[in-house]
Amino acid sequence: SDAGSSVEEMEFSWDEYLEDTGATAAPHGSFKHVDTSLQNGFAPGMKLEVAVKSDQNTYWVATIITTCGQLLLLRYDGYGEDRKADFWCDILTADLHPIGWCEQNKKILKVPEGIKDRIPDKEEFLQRVLKGACSAPANLLEGLHRGKNPLDLIAPGSRLELQNARDSLAAWIVNVVENVGGRLKLRYEGLEDSDQFDQWMFYLDPFLHQVGWAAQHGYSLQPPLAIRSLKREAEWQEILKKVKEEEEESSVPTDLFKDKPVIGVHSFSEGMKLEAVDPMAPFVISPATVLKVYNDKYFLIEIDDLRPERTTSQSYICHVNSAGIFPVQWSLKNGLNLSPPPGYPGQDFDWADYLKQCSAEAAPQSCFPLLTSDHGFKENMKLEAVNPLDPEEVCIATVTKLKESYLWLQLEGSKKPIPDCIVSVESMNIFPVGWCETNGYQLRPPRKAIVNKQKKIAVVQPEKQILSSRTVHNGLKNQELNSSDSVVINGKYCCPKIYFNHRCFSGPYLNKGRIAELPQSVGPGNCVLVLKEVLTLLINAAYKPSRVLRELQLDEESAWHGHGETLKAKYKGKSYRATVEVVRTADRVADFCRKTCIKLECCPNLFGPQMVLDKCSENCSVLTKTKYTHYYGKRKNKRIGRPPGGHSNLEAAMKKPNKRRKRRKHFFVHKKKRSSASVDNTPAGSPQGSGAEEEDDQDESERSHSLAQDRDKRKRKLRTFSFSDDENKPPSPKDMKVEVAEKLHLDSNPLEWSVADVVRFLKSTDCAPLARIFLDQEIDGQALLLLTLPTVQECMDLKLGPAIKLCHHIERVKLAFYQQFAN
């Protein structure tokens, strides 16, 4: 391809990969740390004080019924179980306050009109309902943090304290370099220009704390041994002084860590032996020793090494709930291999002999927490996992073995092949399928991709689904929904149900037959995800998906300022990408849908939050393509339908096959950004969306539009054309042999034909050599009736002559269907 543009050779798709491998994704609920990270600080049952709609100078107590990102569904206290007065509020714009705010600010708490008769004594009622009540967090209702997802408050530049997990029980300040869905890239304070000692850690890690934690708990604040020699002591002290001066500016809210696992008291003693997995190389289980006990919470573990010449040791700090520590004989009881210590004499390791040889005792079973197998993981399940040897990498992982609370994971796609990793089911380095895509992080695809280049399918019928699996990865909670309910998705806005009104006019870009195959509705749910799902379905329902993708492409001068989403299209075996803008709030969805419909020159009611029951308000059914495009379309001088001179494009192509200039195509591709929030504003006129393809698209579109007008003429003439088998050259008029076709009589309804029936029919015609394509692409009777000339040419790679010949037989079947079975 030309410089500045490229074609995407292959793109990894979890859906296709799971289908091709026959595997299932690990359940989302098994990743507790991910679920916790999606919580927005508000919870059902919390109470707050809300301005009364009918009298904005008064307030009343309301209870949170459910949450949806920055939207809260509230019910005034006093309505009991009555839902009729429930209402949605946007945290950013509504007049919401924590319990007690009215009293502090001398505001009036007044019973709303609708429940006045139910509450005779306001004071007594408030005293009763507020007793033991939980107020909504004040910091999320007021000030700079208002309406923000707590996780988003850990922005690049924020400071935290990190315990030194290798050398001593101390801590040092770290800066957040990057926040990927709660997984933080951390850099030690004082090493701003070096990434050599950077670490990746989930924000709920027990060793990560807010600034000030070390001083509060009596631990020293000093750089770890690995970096201490890089600066003089005076320089470290100067850095510490600067951090304390800037503490308020870079601090993270303390309640962000309220869901961190609580570290309990251990009962280990120095010298005890156990079995352990080195967290930096979690591939084998080895004998280990409790080297040092710091206090009742922390102790130091060292992997045993009996070699006299060793110069380094593998040691790390643990607590009672640390993953990868087991009692003596745990491997033997679970049928696992225990790796003897380096330098151990002999091949067969025996714990009894080893304990006697070391004059040591085994740590009793009571020192270890009980392990559970109730976690939802099963063998062969797929997930995403961090490569322990390269924490920058997140790879596809397969569960190869399960033992109690531990998984053995095979990592696919890592730069260097590694053995199966041993991880706890509660590890914060494993994530559900789709987590990387949701958070805009690069997932390492398999080295030998099972997902081969997608075959060209003649009829694309989008899957009938309510929301894609990506929605689930963004925090979709399964629950029973009434018609007025919205789905709970933390950190995002909600969207009403979007209806596809199949009766409405589909316009020049969208295939009416494919539109009819779309689901009745999508949603409700996360605004961005629902609209992205809707647009993807529309792209798949287009005559030419790449053209519709370009029509939807983000304009530099867009006035909506919504949210940039990367959408994809596949056309003629090539993959295309473009950044499309979608709105993020429910109040703008209807306008967005209408504007998008007009952009695609279809009925403004073709899709949107309103269902068209009987008759479309736009009266679109009486408009022809030409009139409709003139009325709603943005290019009023564009040719639609039959070109000047009364000849269809199809006839012109047959008469002048050598005059049509072959145009060089340019493919527009937008590479996915690392950050999901980034917006690609490449204009449609750039090489990614060049005018050369625009012209070719227009020819293609015009030819498909004229088919409907030509169909009646061809039905009357009922001509058949026989061409040379040489598909490499287009037919010329003198090659054509015209003969009158016999009227087709069908013995069965083609809607009920199987693939074998379609193949049998084709073999009875002069298009028998093409039957193999129909068999390979599994085209049954329903699909056969949806085929058109553009579809046949695009998806079967047929030249114009053979395509016309094939479509003639398809038209004969359609005509017979309408005459014999349509009624």
Side-chain angles (χ1 to χ4, degrees), residues 145 148-162 172-179 184-190 192 199 203 208-212 243 246-254 256-257:
H145 298 162
K148 288 189 176 180
N149 186 325
L151 186 58
D152 295 335
L153 300 177
I154 312 180
S158 300
R159 287 191 176 110
L160 298 166
E161 288 182 2
L162 176 63
W172 187 242
I173 299 96
V174 286
N175 279 288
V176 176
V177 177
E178 194 174 348
N179 179 354
L184 310 178
K185 186 175 185 179
L186 304 171
R187 184 168 297 167
Y188 285 118
E189 188 73 38
E192 287 75 13
Q199 299 183 51
Y203 81 105
L208 196 60
H209 312 278
Q210 70 272 18
V211 171
V243 169
E246 299 173 355
E247 187 171 331
E248 281 192 22
E249 299 174 20
S250 60
S251 64
V252 171
T254 54
L256 189 66
F257 299 98

Side-chain angles (χ1 to χ4, degrees), residues 41-42 46-48 91 96-99 101 104 135-147 255:
F42 296 95
M46 287 182 174
K47 295 187 183 293
L48 32 72
I91 303 167
L96 309 174
H97 304 280
I99 296 298
W101 180 87
Q104 294 170 8
S135 173
N139 67 306
L140 296 180
L141 289 170
E142 300 168 344
L144 294 174
H145 298 162
R146 180 179 179 130
D255 62 347

Side-chain angles (χ1 to χ4, degrees), residues 503-577:
R503 299 177 184 179
C504 289
F505 189 81
S506 58
Y509 298 133
L510 303 176
N511 185 317
K512 182 69 175 176
R514 295 181 191 172
I515 289 289
E517 292 294 325
L518 297 184
Q520 187 68 46
S521 63
V522 172
N526 173 313
C527 243
V528 171
L529 292 171
V530 170
L531 292 176
K532 184 176 180 182
E533 188 81 7
V534 168
L535 295 179
T536 300
L537 290 173
L538 288 172
I539 290 168
N540 289 337
Y543 286 109
K544 192 167 186 180
S546 58
R547 177 63 183 270
V548 170
L549 185 60
R550 188 187 305 108
E551 293 298 322
L552 298 174
Q553 188 174 17
L554 180 65
D555 187 353
E556 272 188 325
E557 300 175 0
S558 172
W560 289 339
H561 304 298
H563 178 79
E565 277 292 322
T566 300
L567 295 185
K568 305 165 190 173
K570 290 194 175 182
Y571 178 65
K572 290 191 174 181
K574 301 292 190 295
S575 293
Y576 302 85
R577 283 188 176 194

